[in-house]
mmCIF file with all atom_site columns, all heavy atoms in Angstrom:
data_model
loop_
_atom_site.group_PDB
_atom_site.id
_atom_site.type_symbol
_atom_site.label_atom_id
_atom_site.label_alt_id
_atom_site.label_comp_id
_atom_site.label_asym_id
_atom_site.label_entity_id
_atom_site.label_seq_id
_atom_site.pdbx_PDB_ins_code
_atom_site.Cartn_x
_atom_site.Cartn_y
_atom_site.Cartn_z
_atom_site.occupancy
_atom_site.B_iso_or_equiv
_atom_site.pdbx_formal_charge
_atom_site.auth_seq_id
_atom_site.auth_comp_id
_atom_site.auth_asym_id
_atom_site.auth_atom_id
_atom_site.pdbx_PDB_model_num
ATOM 1   N N   . ARG O 1 1  ? 158.061 80.574 -11.013 1.00 98.00 ? 1  ARG O N   1
ATOM 2   C CA  . ARG O 1 1  ? 158.882 81.667 -11.034 1.00 98.00 ? 1  ARG O CA  1
ATOM 3   C C   . ARG O 1 1  ? 159.086 82.313 -9.701  1.00 98.00 ? 1  ARG O C   1
ATOM 4   O O   . ARG O 1 1  ? 160.189 82.697 -9.233  1.00 98.00 ? 1  ARG O O   1
ATOM 5   C CB  . ARG O 1 1  ? 158.462 82.769 -12.067 1.00 98.00 ? 1  ARG O CB  1
ATOM 6   C CG  . ARG O 1 1  ? 158.569 82.304 -13.491 1.00 98.00 ? 1  ARG O CG  1
ATOM 7   C CD  . ARG O 1 1  ? 157.982 83.188 -14.515 1.00 98.00 ? 1  ARG O CD  1
ATOM 8   N NE  . ARG O 1 1  ? 158.318 84.577 -14.503 1.00 98.00 ? 1  ARG O NE  1
ATOM 9   C CZ  . ARG O 1 1  ? 157.883 85.524 -15.361 1.00 98.00 ? 1  ARG O CZ  1
ATOM 10  N NH1 . ARG O 1 1  ? 157.076 85.200 -16.255 1.00 98.00 ? 1  ARG O NH1 1
ATOM 11  N NH2 . ARG O 1 1  ? 158.321 86.766 -15.230 1.00 98.00 ? 1  ARG O NH2 1
ATOM 12  N N   . LEU O 1 2  ? 158.025 82.405 -8.924  1.00 98.00 ? 2  LEU O N   1
ATOM 13  C CA  . LEU O 1 2  ? 158.040 82.951 -7.609  1.00 98.00 ? 2  LEU O CA  1
ATOM 14  C C   . LEU O 1 2  ? 158.899 82.103 -6.699  1.00 98.00 ? 2  LEU O C   1
ATOM 15  O O   . LEU O 1 2  ? 159.717 82.672 -5.911  1.00 98.00 ? 2  LEU O O   1
ATOM 16  C CB  . LEU O 1 2  ? 156.625 83.230 -7.058  1.00 98.00 ? 2  LEU O CB  1
ATOM 17  C CG  . LEU O 1 2  ? 156.625 83.891 -5.618  1.00 98.00 ? 2  LEU O CG  1
ATOM 18  C CD1 . LEU O 1 2  ? 155.951 85.265 -5.831  1.00 98.00 ? 2  LEU O CD1 1
ATOM 19  C CD2 . LEU O 1 2  ? 155.862 83.061 -4.674  1.00 98.00 ? 2  LEU O CD2 1
ATOM 20  N N   . ARG O 1 3  ? 158.569 80.752 -6.709  1.00 98.00 ? 3  ARG O N   1
ATOM 21  C CA  . ARG O 1 3  ? 159.291 79.926 -5.848  1.00 98.00 ? 3  ARG O CA  1
ATOM 22  C C   . ARG O 1 3  ? 160.889 79.972 -6.163  1.00 98.00 ? 3  ARG O C   1
ATOM 23  O O   . ARG O 1 3  ? 161.705 79.817 -5.294  1.00 98.00 ? 3  ARG O O   1
ATOM 24  C CB  . ARG O 1 3  ? 158.801 78.526 -5.932  1.00 98.00 ? 3  ARG O CB  1
ATOM 25  C CG  . ARG O 1 3  ? 157.387 78.343 -5.422  1.00 98.00 ? 3  ARG O CG  1
ATOM 26  C CD  . ARG O 1 3  ? 157.042 76.868 -5.261  1.00 98.00 ? 3  ARG O CD  1
ATOM 27  N NE  . ARG O 1 3  ? 155.636 76.680 -5.020  1.00 98.00 ? 3  ARG O NE  1
ATOM 28  C CZ  . ARG O 1 3  ? 154.985 76.839 -3.952  1.00 98.00 ? 3  ARG O CZ  1
ATOM 29  N NH1 . ARG O 1 3  ? 155.563 77.191 -2.875  1.00 98.00 ? 3  ARG O NH1 1
ATOM 30  N NH2 . ARG O 1 3  ? 153.589 76.604 -3.981  1.00 98.00 ? 3  ARG O NH2 1
ATOM 31  N N   . ALA O 1 4  ? 161.200 80.139 -7.419  1.00 98.00 ? 4  ALA O N   1
ATOM 32  C CA  . ALA O 1 4  ? 162.632 80.045 -7.890  1.00 98.00 ? 4  ALA O CA  1
ATOM 33  C C   . ALA O 1 4  ? 163.457 81.267 -7.257  1.00 98.00 ? 4  ALA O C   1
ATOM 34  O O   . ALA O 1 4  ? 164.569 81.111 -6.938  1.00 98.00 ? 4  ALA O O   1
ATOM 35  C CB  . ALA O 1 4  ? 162.732 80.139 -9.342  1.00 98.00 ? 4  ALA O CB  1
ATOM 36  N N   . VAL O 1 5  ? 162.732 82.373 -6.982  1.00 98.00 ? 5  VAL O N   1
ATOM 37  C CA  . VAL O 1 5  ? 163.495 83.535 -6.380  1.00 98.00 ? 5  VAL O CA  1
ATOM 38  C C   . VAL O 1 5  ? 163.265 83.616 -4.917  1.00 98.00 ? 5  VAL O C   1
ATOM 39  O O   . VAL O 1 5  ? 163.876 84.508 -4.291  1.00 98.00 ? 5  VAL O O   1
ATOM 40  C CB  . VAL O 1 5  ? 163.046 84.857 -7.057  1.00 98.00 ? 5  VAL O CB  1
ATOM 41  C CG1 . VAL O 1 5  ? 163.268 84.722 -8.594  1.00 98.00 ? 5  VAL O CG1 1
ATOM 42  C CG2 . VAL O 1 5  ? 161.595 85.166 -6.823  1.00 98.00 ? 5  VAL O CG2 1
ATOM 43  N N   . ALA O 1 6  ? 162.400 82.769 -4.291  1.00 98.00 ? 6  ALA O N   1
ATOM 44  C CA  . ALA O 1 6  ? 162.239 82.806 -2.885  1.00 98.00 ? 6  ALA O CA  1
ATOM 45  C C   . ALA O 1 6  ? 163.526 82.246 -2.158  1.00 98.00 ? 6  ALA O C   1
ATOM 46  O O   . ALA O 1 6  ? 163.934 81.174 -2.329  1.00 98.00 ? 6  ALA O O   1
ATOM 47  C CB  . ALA O 1 6  ? 160.948 81.987 -2.475  1.00 98.00 ? 6  ALA O CB  1
ATOM 48  N N   . PRO O 1 7  ? 163.981 83.131 -1.257  1.00 98.00 ? 7  PRO O N   1
ATOM 49  C CA  . PRO O 1 7  ? 165.272 82.699 -0.563  1.00 98.00 ? 7  PRO O CA  1
ATOM 50  C C   . PRO O 1 7  ? 165.002 81.467 0.353   1.00 98.00 ? 7  PRO O C   1
ATOM 51  O O   . PRO O 1 7  ? 165.966 80.651 0.527   1.00 98.00 ? 7  PRO O O   1
ATOM 52  C CB  . PRO O 1 7  ? 165.654 83.810 0.295   1.00 98.00 ? 7  PRO O CB  1
ATOM 53  C CG  . PRO O 1 7  ? 165.005 85.005 -0.404  1.00 98.00 ? 7  PRO O CG  1
ATOM 54  C CD  . PRO O 1 7  ? 163.708 84.500 -0.960  1.00 98.00 ? 7  PRO O CD  1
ATOM 55  N N   . LEU O 1 8  ? 163.896 81.328 0.984   1.00 98.00 ? 8  LEU O N   1
ATOM 56  C CA  . LEU O 1 8  ? 163.537 80.239 1.846   1.00 98.00 ? 8  LEU O CA  1
ATOM 57  C C   . LEU O 1 8  ? 162.633 79.333 1.140   1.00 98.00 ? 8  LEU O C   1
ATOM 58  O O   . LEU O 1 8  ? 161.388 79.518 1.051   1.00 98.00 ? 8  LEU O O   1
ATOM 59  C CB  . LEU O 1 8  ? 162.949 80.741 3.141   1.00 98.00 ? 8  LEU O CB  1
ATOM 60  C CG  . LEU O 1 8  ? 163.719 81.855 3.862   1.00 98.00 ? 8  LEU O CG  1
ATOM 61  C CD1 . LEU O 1 8  ? 162.872 82.154 5.233   1.00 98.00 ? 8  LEU O CD1 1
ATOM 62  C CD2 . LEU O 1 8  ? 165.157 81.524 4.146   1.00 98.00 ? 8  LEU O CD2 1
ATOM 63  N N   . SER O 1 9  ? 163.152 78.161 0.637   1.00 98.00 ? 9  SER O N   1
ATOM 64  C CA  . SER O 1 9  ? 162.237 77.188 0.013   1.00 98.00 ? 9  SER O CA  1
ATOM 65  C C   . SER O 1 9  ? 161.380 76.537 1.042   1.00 98.00 ? 9  SER O C   1
ATOM 66  O O   . SER O 1 9  ? 161.649 76.541 2.247   1.00 98.00 ? 9  SER O O   1
ATOM 67  C CB  . SER O 1 9  ? 162.937 76.091 -0.672  1.00 98.00 ? 9  SER O CB  1
ATOM 68  O OG  . SER O 1 9  ? 163.745 75.294 0.267   1.00 98.00 ? 9  SER O OG  1
ATOM 69  N N   . VAL O 1 10 ? 160.174 75.981 0.607   1.00 98.00 ? 10 VAL O N   1
ATOM 70  C CA  . VAL O 1 10 ? 159.226 75.310 1.541   1.00 98.00 ? 10 VAL O CA  1
ATOM 71  C C   . VAL O 1 10 ? 160.021 74.126 2.166   1.00 98.00 ? 10 VAL O C   1
ATOM 72  O O   . VAL O 1 10 ? 159.717 73.787 3.406   1.00 98.00 ? 10 VAL O O   1
ATOM 73  C CB  . VAL O 1 10 ? 158.044 74.827 0.690   1.00 98.00 ? 10 VAL O CB  1
ATOM 74  C CG1 . VAL O 1 10 ? 157.151 74.004 1.622   1.00 98.00 ? 10 VAL O CG1 1
ATOM 75  C CG2 . VAL O 1 10 ? 157.284 75.950 0.237   1.00 98.00 ? 10 VAL O CG2 1
ATOM 76  N N   . SER O 1 11 ? 160.970 73.482 1.557   1.00 98.00 ? 11 SER O N   1
ATOM 77  C CA  . SER O 1 11 ? 161.598 72.338 2.094   1.00 98.00 ? 11 SER O CA  1
ATOM 78  C C   . SER O 1 11 ? 162.564 72.807 3.257   1.00 98.00 ? 11 SER O C   1
ATOM 79  O O   . SER O 1 11 ? 162.932 71.919 4.020   1.00 98.00 ? 11 SER O O   1
ATOM 80  C CB  . SER O 1 11 ? 162.383 71.584 1.031   1.00 98.00 ? 11 SER O CB  1
ATOM 81  O OG  . SER O 1 11 ? 163.426 72.480 0.391   1.00 98.00 ? 11 SER O OG  1
ATOM 82  N N   . TRP O 1 12 ? 162.957 73.993 3.250   1.00 98.00 ? 12 TRP O N   1
ATOM 83  C CA  . TRP O 1 12 ? 163.896 74.437 4.231   1.00 98.00 ? 12 TRP O CA  1
ATOM 84  C C   . TRP O 1 12 ? 163.296 74.458 5.623   1.00 98.00 ? 12 TRP O C   1
ATOM 85  O O   . TRP O 1 12 ? 163.893 74.054 6.581   1.00 98.00 ? 12 TRP O O   1
ATOM 86  C CB  . TRP O 1 12 ? 164.426 75.875 3.909   1.00 98.00 ? 12 TRP O CB  1
ATOM 87  C CG  . TRP O 1 12 ? 165.377 76.442 4.906   1.00 98.00 ? 12 TRP O CG  1
ATOM 88  C CD1 . TRP O 1 12 ? 166.766 76.087 5.023   1.00 98.00 ? 12 TRP O CD1 1
ATOM 89  C CD2 . TRP O 1 12 ? 165.221 77.372 5.885   1.00 98.00 ? 12 TRP O CD2 1
ATOM 90  N NE1 . TRP O 1 12 ? 167.390 76.785 5.995   1.00 98.00 ? 12 TRP O NE1 1
ATOM 91  C CE2 . TRP O 1 12 ? 166.391 77.572 6.629   1.00 98.00 ? 12 TRP O CE2 1
ATOM 92  C CE3 . TRP O 1 12 ? 164.061 78.149 6.292   1.00 98.00 ? 12 TRP O CE3 1
ATOM 93  C CZ2 . TRP O 1 12 ? 166.532 78.530 7.674   1.00 98.00 ? 12 TRP O CZ2 1
ATOM 94  C CZ3 . TRP O 1 12 ? 164.249 78.955 7.276   1.00 98.00 ? 12 TRP O CZ3 1
ATOM 95  C CH2 . TRP O 1 12 ? 165.393 79.242 8.001   1.00 98.00 ? 12 TRP O CH2 1
ATOM 96  N N   . SER O 1 13 ? 162.076 74.976 5.742   1.00 98.00 ? 13 SER O N   1
ATOM 97  C CA  . SER O 1 13 ? 161.367 74.966 6.956   1.00 98.00 ? 13 SER O CA  1
ATOM 98  C C   . SER O 1 13 ? 159.906 75.176 6.711   1.00 98.00 ? 13 SER O C   1
ATOM 99  O O   . SER O 1 13 ? 159.549 75.944 5.843   1.00 98.00 ? 13 SER O O   1
ATOM 100 C CB  . SER O 1 13 ? 161.871 75.942 8.069   1.00 98.00 ? 13 SER O CB  1
ATOM 101 O OG  . SER O 1 13 ? 161.162 75.902 9.138   1.00 98.00 ? 13 SER O OG  1
ATOM 102 N N   . GLN O 1 14 ? 158.995 74.544 7.562   1.00 98.00 ? 14 GLN O N   1
ATOM 103 C CA  . GLN O 1 14 ? 157.502 74.886 7.481   1.00 98.00 ? 14 GLN O CA  1
ATOM 104 C C   . GLN O 1 14 ? 157.106 75.217 8.958   1.00 98.00 ? 14 GLN O C   1
ATOM 105 O O   . GLN O 1 14 ? 155.900 75.286 9.229   1.00 98.00 ? 14 GLN O O   1
ATOM 106 C CB  . GLN O 1 14 ? 156.748 73.657 6.973   1.00 98.00 ? 14 GLN O CB  1
ATOM 107 C CG  . GLN O 1 14 ? 157.319 72.991 5.752   1.00 98.00 ? 14 GLN O CG  1
ATOM 108 C CD  . GLN O 1 14 ? 158.332 71.991 5.929   1.00 98.00 ? 14 GLN O CD  1
ATOM 109 O OE1 . GLN O 1 14 ? 158.217 71.166 6.848   1.00 98.00 ? 14 GLN O OE1 1
ATOM 110 N NE2 . GLN O 1 14 ? 159.360 72.038 5.194   1.00 98.00 ? 14 GLN O NE2 1
ATOM 111 N N   . ASP O 1 15 ? 158.053 75.593 9.775   1.00 98.00 ? 15 ASP O N   1
ATOM 112 C CA  . ASP O 1 15 ? 157.719 75.725 11.214  1.00 98.00 ? 15 ASP O CA  1
ATOM 113 C C   . ASP O 1 15 ? 157.872 77.179 11.647  1.00 98.00 ? 15 ASP O C   1
ATOM 114 O O   . ASP O 1 15 ? 158.560 77.950 11.200  1.00 98.00 ? 15 ASP O O   1
ATOM 115 C CB  . ASP O 1 15 ? 158.576 74.924 12.106  1.00 98.00 ? 15 ASP O CB  1
ATOM 116 C CG  . ASP O 1 15 ? 158.374 73.444 11.863  1.00 98.00 ? 15 ASP O CG  1
ATOM 117 O OD1 . ASP O 1 15 ? 157.429 72.992 11.087  1.00 98.00 ? 15 ASP O OD1 1
ATOM 118 O OD2 . ASP O 1 15 ? 159.247 72.588 12.336  1.00 98.00 ? 15 ASP O OD2 1
ATOM 119 N N   . VAL O 1 16 ? 156.960 77.421 12.713  1.00 97.00 ? 16 VAL O N   1
ATOM 120 C CA  . VAL O 1 16 ? 157.142 78.666 13.572  1.00 97.00 ? 16 VAL O CA  1
ATOM 121 C C   . VAL O 1 16 ? 157.451 78.196 14.943  1.00 97.00 ? 16 VAL O C   1
ATOM 122 O O   . VAL O 1 16 ? 156.910 77.315 15.484  1.00 97.00 ? 16 VAL O O   1
ATOM 123 C CB  . VAL O 1 16 ? 155.842 79.510 13.611  1.00 97.00 ? 16 VAL O CB  1
ATOM 124 C CG1 . VAL O 1 16 ? 155.924 80.588 14.674  1.00 97.00 ? 16 VAL O CG1 1
ATOM 125 C CG2 . VAL O 1 16 ? 155.556 80.109 12.223  1.00 97.00 ? 16 VAL O CG2 1
ATOM 126 N N   . ILE O 1 17 ? 158.563 78.753 15.463  1.00 96.00 ? 17 ILE O N   1
ATOM 127 C CA  . ILE O 1 17 ? 159.085 78.287 16.797  1.00 96.00 ? 17 ILE O CA  1
ATOM 128 C C   . ILE O 1 17 ? 159.012 79.406 17.797  1.00 96.00 ? 17 ILE O C   1
ATOM 129 O O   . ILE O 1 17 ? 159.430 80.567 17.547  1.00 96.00 ? 17 ILE O O   1
ATOM 130 C CB  . ILE O 1 17 ? 160.577 77.858 16.700  1.00 96.00 ? 17 ILE O CB  1
ATOM 131 C CG1 . ILE O 1 17 ? 160.637 76.603 15.858  1.00 96.00 ? 17 ILE O CG1 1
ATOM 132 C CG2 . ILE O 1 17 ? 161.168 77.635 18.079  1.00 96.00 ? 17 ILE O CG2 1
ATOM 133 C CD1 . ILE O 1 17 ? 162.042 76.060 15.650  1.00 96.00 ? 17 ILE O CD1 1
ATOM 134 N N   . PHE O 1 18 ? 158.429 79.218 18.898  1.00 92.00 ? 18 PHE O N   1
ATOM 135 C CA  . PHE O 1 18 ? 158.392 80.053 20.165  1.00 92.00 ? 18 PHE O CA  1
ATOM 136 C C   . PHE O 1 18 ? 159.584 79.664 21.019  1.00 92.00 ? 18 PHE O C   1
ATOM 137 O O   . PHE O 1 18 ? 159.801 78.520 21.369  1.00 92.00 ? 18 PHE O O   1
ATOM 138 C CB  . PHE O 1 18 ? 157.070 80.015 20.880  1.00 92.00 ? 18 PHE O CB  1
ATOM 139 C CG  . PHE O 1 18 ? 155.984 80.760 20.207  1.00 92.00 ? 18 PHE O CG  1
ATOM 140 C CD1 . PHE O 1 18 ? 155.320 80.279 19.039  1.00 92.00 ? 18 PHE O CD1 1
ATOM 141 C CD2 . PHE O 1 18 ? 155.577 82.003 20.709  1.00 92.00 ? 18 PHE O CD2 1
ATOM 142 C CE1 . PHE O 1 18 ? 154.257 81.043 18.438  1.00 92.00 ? 18 PHE O CE1 1
ATOM 143 C CE2 . PHE O 1 18 ? 154.487 82.712 20.063  1.00 92.00 ? 18 PHE O CE2 1
ATOM 144 C CZ  . PHE O 1 18 ? 153.903 82.193 18.941  1.00 92.00 ? 18 PHE O CZ  1
ATOM 145 N N   . CYS O 1 19 ? 160.317 80.675 21.464  1.00 91.00 ? 19 CYS O N   1
ATOM 146 C CA  . CYS O 1 19 ? 161.511 80.490 22.229  1.00 91.00 ? 19 CYS O CA  1
ATOM 147 C C   . CYS O 1 19 ? 161.734 81.556 23.309  1.00 91.00 ? 19 CYS O C   1
ATOM 148 O O   . CYS O 1 19 ? 161.168 82.675 23.223  1.00 91.00 ? 19 CYS O O   1
ATOM 149 C CB  . CYS O 1 19 ? 162.629 80.324 21.393  1.00 91.00 ? 19 CYS O CB  1
ATOM 150 S SG  . CYS O 1 19 ? 162.942 81.810 20.141  1.00 91.00 ? 19 CYS O SG  1
ATOM 151 N N   . THR O 1 20 ? 162.678 81.306 24.116  1.00 88.00 ? 20 THR O N   1
ATOM 152 C CA  . THR O 1 20 ? 163.044 82.366 25.182  1.00 88.00 ? 20 THR O CA  1
ATOM 153 C C   . THR O 1 20 ? 163.902 83.387 24.543  1.00 88.00 ? 20 THR O C   1
ATOM 154 O O   . THR O 1 20 ? 164.084 84.539 25.050  1.00 88.00 ? 20 THR O O   1
ATOM 155 C CB  . THR O 1 20 ? 163.786 81.632 26.362  1.00 88.00 ? 20 THR O CB  1
ATOM 156 O OG1 . THR O 1 20 ? 164.963 81.000 25.877  1.00 88.00 ? 20 THR O OG1 1
ATOM 157 C CG2 . THR O 1 20 ? 162.853 80.679 26.941  1.00 88.00 ? 20 THR O CG2 1
ATOM 158 N N   . ALA O 1 21 ? 164.683 83.095 23.479  1.00 92.00 ? 21 ALA O N   1
ATOM 159 C CA  . ALA O 1 21 ? 165.526 83.999 22.739  1.00 92.00 ? 21 ALA O CA  1
ATOM 160 C C   . ALA O 1 21 ? 165.975 83.220 21.505  1.00 92.00 ? 21 ALA O C   1
ATOM 161 O O   . ALA O 1 21 ? 165.840 81.955 21.385  1.00 92.00 ? 21 ALA O O   1
ATOM 162 C CB  . ALA O 1 21 ? 166.735 84.459 23.544  1.00 92.00 ? 21 ALA O CB  1
ATOM 163 N N   . LEU O 1 22 ? 166.398 83.973 20.542  1.00 95.00 ? 22 LEU O N   1
ATOM 164 C CA  . LEU O 1 22 ? 166.846 83.204 19.320  1.00 95.00 ? 22 LEU O CA  1
ATOM 165 C C   . LEU O 1 22 ? 167.988 82.227 19.656  1.00 95.00 ? 22 LEU O C   1
ATOM 166 O O   . LEU O 1 22 ? 168.061 81.188 19.056  1.00 95.00 ? 22 LEU O O   1
ATOM 167 C CB  . LEU O 1 22 ? 167.363 84.251 18.273  1.00 95.00 ? 22 LEU O CB  1
ATOM 168 C CG  . LEU O 1 22 ? 167.801 83.696 16.944  1.00 95.00 ? 22 LEU O CG  1
ATOM 169 C CD1 . LEU O 1 22 ? 166.656 83.010 16.239  1.00 95.00 ? 22 LEU O CD1 1
ATOM 170 C CD2 . LEU O 1 22 ? 168.313 84.694 15.993  1.00 95.00 ? 22 LEU O CD2 1
ATOM 171 N N   . LEU O 1 23 ? 168.825 82.610 20.637  1.00 94.00 ? 23 LEU O N   1
ATOM 172 C CA  . LEU O 1 23 ? 169.947 81.770 21.038  1.00 94.00 ? 23 LEU O CA  1
ATOM 173 C C   . LEU O 1 23 ? 169.583 81.052 22.322  1.00 94.00 ? 23 LEU O C   1
ATOM 174 O O   . LEU O 1 23 ? 170.440 80.605 23.080  1.00 94.00 ? 23 LEU O O   1
ATOM 175 C CB  . LEU O 1 23 ? 171.297 82.524 21.194  1.00 94.00 ? 23 LEU O CB  1
ATOM 176 C CG  . LEU O 1 23 ? 171.750 83.279 20.016  1.00 94.00 ? 23 LEU O CG  1
ATOM 177 C CD1 . LEU O 1 23 ? 173.092 83.931 20.261  1.00 94.00 ? 23 LEU O CD1 1
ATOM 178 C CD2 . LEU O 1 23 ? 171.821 82.376 18.711  1.00 94.00 ? 23 LEU O CD2 1
ATOM 179 N N   . GLY O 1 24 ? 168.263 80.954 22.639  1.00 90.00 ? 24 GLY O N   1
ATOM 180 C CA  . GLY O 1 24 ? 167.718 80.375 23.852  1.00 90.00 ? 24 GLY O CA  1
ATOM 181 C C   . GLY O 1 24 ? 167.127 79.032 23.707  1.00 90.00 ? 24 GLY O C   1
ATOM 182 O O   . GLY O 1 24 ? 167.532 78.240 22.837  1.00 90.00 ? 24 GLY O O   1
#
């Protein structure tokens, strides 16, 4: 039930990204 209402499914992404900017 919790996974069904989660906007970001596990398959969508499992990563944390460090970057210079969101558009960087």
Side-chain angles (χ1 to χ4, degrees):
R1 286 169 61 176
L2 184 114
R3 294 197 195 278
V5 302
L8 309 182
S9 67
V10 174
S11 62
W12 181 76
S13 178
Q14 308 90 46
D15 296 351
V16 168
I17 292 178
F18 281 74
C19 53
T20 59
L22 184 63
L23 304 184

